[in-house]
């Protein structure tokens, strides 16, 4: 088909053969086979060259459209296969206001501008479920932990922080110890990392402490606004402390050995066939390797 289009454009089998890098006899056989297969002549052979018949002119219009569509489809497939285009859906409760997650996203977007990035928030169980359903490509959560049928990559560590009202007695402290928070009310969200924050706080406060939690169905921003209004304190990873909230200060929290560290991990379905996912994972692995070195 492409040779016939070339002959029609040049008006000559010889010129078409030269442009296509084929022999004249090969192009002539191709045109003859096409006409035999279609059962009608597409060209008039004249001393001045090859001229399209009426049927040939109609064929050329349709053939050009089909070939152009095929070439476009091949190009799109190649771009998708190389992750030049596509979509990457990341489920997480980590903030992108600062820190390593923000750095990873910005680097990937800069190097892969044809790939759309979609973020989806939720708690751990919700995000792992959507991952197994194929609704997200990768979940960025606390870990690393064994999750059935999923692969896992340990990523970076962040310091644990506590959000305090700015008039709190500990607001001016450079470092807060868990034992200083035994009488506090901990604000947690029912979404995002809220359920895991409960478990974390209960495990880090001194044994025998009766922990008071106040659960609210709000976003991370809503939780910090409640802290600023004096409803209690909240725990978070350092990456969530990049934004400012009225009446709120952030302080590292830990024990006598230093700040409590939380570790991020990536989870994905190894059967997931998404070139953009493979490229993002390669970037994460390379980043880990360069920092380790």
């Amino acid at each position: 088909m492409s040779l016939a289009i070339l002959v029609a454009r040049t008006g000559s089998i010889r010129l078409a053969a030269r442009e296509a890098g084929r022999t004249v006899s090969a192009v002539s056989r191709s045109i003859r086979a096409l006409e035999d297969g279609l059962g009608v002549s597409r060209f008039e052979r004249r001393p001045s060259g090859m001229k399209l018949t009426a049927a040939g002119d109609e064929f050329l219009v349709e053939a050009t459209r089909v070939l152009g569509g095929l070439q476009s489809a091949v190009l799109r497939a190649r771009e998708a296969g190389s992750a030049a285009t596509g979509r990457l859906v990341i489920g997480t409760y980590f903030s992108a206001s600062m820190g390593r997650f923000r750095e990873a996203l910005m680097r990937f977007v800069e190097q892969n501008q044809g790939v759309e990035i979609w973020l989806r928030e939720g708690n751990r169980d919700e995000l792992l479920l959507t991952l197994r359903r194929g609704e997200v490509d990768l979940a960025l959560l606390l870990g690393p932990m064994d999750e059935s049928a999923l692969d896992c990559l340990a990523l970076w560590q962040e310091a644990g922080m506590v959000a305090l009202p700015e008039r709190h007695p500990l607001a001016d402290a450079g470092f807060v110890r868990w034992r200083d928070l035994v009488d506090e009310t901990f604000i947690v969200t029912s979404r995002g990392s809220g359920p895991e924050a409960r478990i974390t706080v209960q495990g880090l406060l001194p044994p025998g402490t009766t922990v008071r939690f106040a659960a609210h169905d709000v976003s991370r921003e809503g939780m910090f606004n409640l802290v600023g209004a004096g409803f209690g304190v909240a725990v978070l990873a350092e990456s969530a402390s990049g934004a400012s909230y009225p009446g709120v200060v952030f302080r590292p929290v830990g024990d006598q050995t230093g700040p409590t560290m939380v570790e991020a991990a990536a989870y994905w379905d190894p059967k997931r066939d998404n070139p953009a996912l493979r490229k993002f994972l390669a970037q994460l692995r390379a980043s880990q390797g360069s920092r380790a070195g």
Side-chain angles (χ1 to χ4, degrees), residues 81-192:
S82 64
T85 61
R87 177 183 300 164
L88 179 66
V89 184
I90 301 174
T92 188
Y93 43 56
F94 278 89
S95 171
S97 65
M98 64 177 288
R100 300 281 296 277
F101 180 42
R102 178 184 177 87
E103 293 173 8
L105 282 180
M106 292 179 66
R107 187 181 309 114
F108 187 80
V109 169
E110 181 180 349
Q111 297 174 359
N112 304 274
Q113 296 186 12
V115 177
E116 293 180 276
I117 300 290
W118 287 18
L119 297 182
R120 180 166 178 171
E121 291 190 348
N123 62 41
R124 186 183 191 90
D125 290 341
E126 291 170 346
L127 293 175
L128 290 175
L129 180 60
T130 58
L131 186 61
R132 291 187 169 96
R133 287 176 174 172
E135 297 170 13
V136 302
D137 297 299
L138 178 140
L140 184 63
L141 309 168
L142 293 176
M145 302 179 190
D146 289 333
E147 294 290 348
S148 175
L150 299 178
D151 281 356
C152 178
L153 174 66
L155 298 173
W156 54 83
Q157 289 190 335
E158 298 182 18
M161 307 283 285
V162 59
L164 303 165
E166 63 181 0
R167 295 185 179 181
H168 193 281
L170 296 172
D172 294 329
F175 180 78
V176 176
R177 295 196 178 190
W178 288 107
R179 68 187 185 195
D180 300 327
L181 300 173
V182 293
D183 295 324
E184 299 296 335
T185 296
F186 289 85
I187 300 173
V188 294
T189 64
S190 56
R191 60 184 77 171

